[in-house]
Amino acid sequence: MERELEKLIDVEVEKQCRSDRTVQMEREARRKMTEEMVVVRKEQVAEKLKLQEAQRQALLKEREELKDAFAEHEHLEKEKVKRTKERNLQYQSDLLSQVQYTNVLKQRDSDEKQRELDIQNEAEVRYQAKLRNALERPNIDRAHPFKKIS
Protein backbone atom coordinates (compact mmCIF):
# COMPACT_ATOMS: atom_id res chain seq x y z
CA MET A 1 0.00 0.00 0.00
CA GLU A 2 2.84 2.23 0.68
CA ARG A 3 4.05 1.67 -2.82
CA GLU A 4 0.72 2.53 -4.21
CA LEU A 5 0.63 5.60 -2.13
CA GLU A 6 4.08 6.52 -3.30
CA LYS A 7 3.02 5.87 -6.82
CA LEU A 8 -0.01 8.06 -6.40
CA ILE A 9 2.09 10.78 -4.85
CA ASP A 10 4.61 10.47 -7.67
CA VAL A 11 1.79 10.67 -10.19
CA GLU A 12 0.36 13.68 -8.38
CA VAL A 13 3.76 15.32 -8.15
CA GLU A 14 4.33 14.63 -11.83
CA LYS A 15 0.92 16.05 -12.66
CA GLN A 16 1.71 19.03 -10.53
CA CYS A 17 5.09 19.47 -12.28
CA ARG A 18 3.42 19.10 -15.65
CA SER A 19 0.77 21.54 -14.54
CA ASP A 20 3.45 23.97 -13.33
CA ARG A 21 5.31 23.54 -16.57
CA THR A 22 2.09 24.06 -18.51
CA VAL A 23 1.30 27.16 -16.47
CA GLN A 24 4.85 28.36 -16.94
CA MET A 25 4.63 27.68 -20.70
CA GLU A 26 1.26 29.41 -20.87
CA ARG A 27 2.69 32.40 -18.99
CA GLU A 28 5.69 32.43 -21.31
CA ALA A 29 3.41 32.15 -24.35
CA ARG A 30 1.21 35.00 -23.06
CA ARG A 31 4.25 37.14 -22.30
CA LYS A 32 5.70 36.42 -25.74
CA MET A 33 2.35 37.10 -27.41
CA THR A 34 2.04 40.36 -25.45
CA GLU A 35 5.55 41.40 -26.47
CA GLU A 36 4.76 40.55 -30.09
CA MET A 37 1.52 42.55 -29.88
CA VAL A 38 3.43 45.49 -28.39
CA VAL A 39 6.01 45.27 -31.19
CA VAL A 40 3.27 44.99 -33.85
CA ARG A 41 1.37 47.90 -32.31
CA LYS A 42 4.55 50.01 -32.19
CA GLU A 43 5.15 49.19 -35.85
CA GLN A 44 1.55 50.15 -36.68
CA VAL A 45 1.88 53.43 -34.78
CA ALA A 46 5.25 54.14 -36.45
CA GLU A 47 3.77 53.36 -39.88
CA LYS A 48 0.79 55.59 -39.15
CA LEU A 49 3.09 58.42 -38.02
CA LYS A 50 5.24 57.93 -41.11
CA LEU A 51 2.14 58.06 -43.34
CA GLN A 52 0.88 61.19 -41.56
CA GLU A 53 4.29 62.85 -41.96
CA ALA A 54 4.33 61.96 -45.66
CA GLN A 55 0.84 63.44 -46.05
CA ARG A 56 1.91 66.55 -44.17
CA GLN A 57 4.98 66.93 -46.39
CA ALA A 58 2.83 66.44 -49.50
CA LEU A 59 0.43 69.13 -48.29
CA LEU A 60 3.33 71.49 -47.55
CA LYS A 61 4.77 70.83 -51.01
CA GLU A 62 1.38 71.41 -52.62
CA ARG A 63 0.96 74.63 -50.63
CA GLU A 64 4.39 75.84 -51.79
CA GLU A 65 3.58 74.94 -55.39
CA LEU A 66 0.27 76.81 -55.16
CA LYS A 67 2.03 79.77 -53.57
CA ASP A 68 4.62 79.78 -56.37
CA ALA A 69 1.92 79.39 -59.02
CA PHE A 70 -0.05 82.26 -57.48
CA ALA A 71 3.07 84.44 -57.37
CA GLU A 72 3.80 83.61 -61.01
CA HIS A 73 0.19 84.42 -61.94
CA GLU A 74 0.42 87.75 -60.09
CA HIS A 75 3.68 88.54 -61.87
CA LEU A 76 2.17 87.71 -65.27
CA GLU A 77 -0.92 89.80 -64.52
CA LYS A 78 1.25 92.76 -63.51
CA GLU A 79 3.28 92.37 -66.68
CA LYS A 80 0.07 92.20 -68.72
CA VAL A 81 -1.26 95.36 -67.06
CA LYS A 82 2.10 97.07 -67.59
CA ARG A 83 2.16 96.14 -71.28
CA THR A 84 -1.45 97.30 -71.69
CA LYS A 85 -0.62 100.63 -70.04
CA GLU A 86 2.46 101.02 -72.23
CA ARG A 87 0.42 100.22 -75.34
CA ASN A 88 -2.26 102.70 -74.28
CA LEU A 89 0.33 105.39 -73.57
CA GLN A 90 1.98 104.73 -76.93
CA TYR A 91 -1.42 104.89 -78.64
CA GLN A 92 -2.19 108.13 -76.80
CA SER A 93 1.19 109.53 -77.81
CA ASP A 94 0.61 108.50 -81.43
CA LEU A 95 -2.81 110.16 -81.41
CA LEU A 96 -1.36 113.34 -79.92
CA SER A 97 1.37 113.32 -82.56
CA GLN A 98 -1.23 112.87 -85.29
CA VAL A 99 -3.33 115.70 -83.86
CA GLN A 100 -0.26 117.95 -83.64
CA TYR A 101 0.76 117.05 -87.18
CA THR A 102 -2.79 117.72 -88.40
CA ASN A 103 -2.75 121.06 -86.55
CA VAL A 104 0.61 121.96 -88.10
CA LEU A 105 -0.76 121.14 -91.58
CA LYS A 106 -3.89 123.18 -90.88
CA GLN A 107 -1.77 126.08 -89.62
CA ARG A 108 0.46 125.89 -92.69
CA ASP A 109 -2.62 125.79 -94.93
CA SER A 110 -4.15 128.68 -93.03
CA ASP A 111 -0.88 130.64 -93.22
CA GLU A 112 -0.64 129.91 -96.96
CA LYS A 113 -4.23 131.06 -97.51
CA GLN A 114 -3.58 134.19 -95.44
CA ARG A 115 -0.41 134.91 -97.46
CA GLU A 116 -2.34 134.45 -100.72
CA LEU A 117 -5.11 136.68 -99.38
CA ASP A 118 -2.53 139.32 -98.38
CA ILE A 119 -0.97 139.13 -101.86
CA GLN A 120 -4.42 139.46 -103.45
CA ASN A 121 -5.26 142.41 -101.18
CA GLU A 122 -1.99 144.11 -102.08
CA ALA A 123 -2.70 143.51 -105.78
CA GLU A 124 -6.20 144.91 -105.30
CA VAL A 125 -4.80 147.98 -103.54
CA ARG A 126 -2.28 148.54 -106.40
CA TYR A 127 -5.04 147.99 -108.96
CA GLN A 128 -7.33 150.46 -107.20
CA ALA A 129 -4.47 152.95 -106.99
CA LYS A 130 -3.73 152.62 -110.72
CA LEU A 131 -7.44 152.87 -111.52
CA ARG A 132 -7.81 156.00 -109.42
CA ASN A 133 -4.69 157.42 -110.96
CA ALA A 134 -5.98 156.67 -114.44
CA LEU A 135 -9.41 158.14 -113.70
CA GLU A 136 -7.89 161.29 -112.21
CA ARG A 137 -6.10 162.04 -115.50
CA PRO A 138 -8.47 162.95 -118.24
CA ASN A 139 -5.98 162.43 -121.02
CA ILE A 140 -4.99 158.97 -121.81
CA ASP A 141 -1.43 158.71 -123.01
CA ARG A 142 -1.85 155.58 -124.85
CA ALA A 143 -4.56 153.83 -126.73
CA HIS A 144 -6.26 150.56 -126.04
CA PRO A 145 -4.27 147.70 -127.57
CA PHE A 146 -7.25 146.58 -129.68
CA LYS A 147 -8.13 150.02 -130.83
CA LYS A 148 -6.46 151.26 -134.00
CA ILE A 149 -5.12 154.72 -133.97
CA SER A 150 -6.06 156.61 -137.14
Side-chain angles (χ1 to χ4, degrees):
M1 169 139 182
E2 216 176 275
R3 278 189 172 180
E4 282 182 26
L5 186 58
E6 251 182 57
K7 239 183 182 186
L8 277 173
I9 289 176
D10 284 344
V11 168
E12 275 302 311
V13 167
E14 198 174 310
K15 273 185 186 178
Q16 186 64 33
C17 280
R18 264 191 257 135
S19 173
D20 284 348
R21 269 190 250 134
T22 305
V23 167
Q24 182 67 20
M25 287 174 63
E26 285 176 358
R27 279 186 193 154
E28 185 62 30
R30 268 190 243 120
R31 184 187 63 75
K32 192 172 182 179
M33 190 168 68
T34 303
E35 285 177 0
E36 288 175 359
M37 285 176 44
V38 167
V39 168
V40 167
R41 184 66 182 142
K42 281 183 180 179
E43 288 174 356
Q44 288 174 341
V45 168
E47 186 64 32
K48 186 175 181 181
L49 288 174
K50 186 178 175 182
L51 180 63
Q52 287 175 342
E53 180 62 21
Q55 288 174 339
R56 189 179 74 79
Q57 289 297 328
L59 286 174
L60 286 174
K61 183 179 178 184
E62 183 180 352
R63 180 182 290 166
E64 276 300 311
E65 289 172 353
L66 285 172
K67 184 177 159 186
D68 291 344
F70 183 74
E72 179 67 19
H73 176 72
E74 285 291 313
H75 175 71
L76 291 175
E77 282 298 312
K78 285 180 182 178
E79 284 295 317
K80 183 180 175 183
V81 167
K82 181 181 172 186
R83 282 193 309 274
T84 301
K85 283 182 180 179
E86 287 173 355
R87 259 194 327 268
N88 288 345
L89 286 173
Q90 184 61 45
Y91 182 68
Q92 182 181 13
S93 175
D94 291 347
L95 285 178
L96 286 173
S97 295
Q98 289 175 5
V99 167
Q100 288 173 347
Y101 181 71
T102 303
N103 288 342
V104 166
L105 291 179
K106 285 180 181 178
Q107 185 63 42
R108 284 181 188 168
D109 189 46
S110 174
D111 290 349
E112 181 63 25
K113 286 181 181 178
Q114 184 63 43
R115 191 179 66 77
E116 288 175 2
L117 185 61
D118 290 345
I119 290 172
Q120 288 174 356
N121 285 340
E122 287 177 20
E124 181 67 25
V125 166
R126 283 193 309 268
Y127 172 76
Q128 291 297 327
K130 281 184 179 181
L131 182 63
R132 229 180 299 113
N133 194 9
L135 290 176
E136 287 175 358
R137 285 190 288 146
N139 297 336
I140 297 178
D141 296 341
R142 58 183 181 178
H144 193 276
F146 297 125
K147 200 173 190 185
K148 286 189 177 184
I149 301 178
S150 12

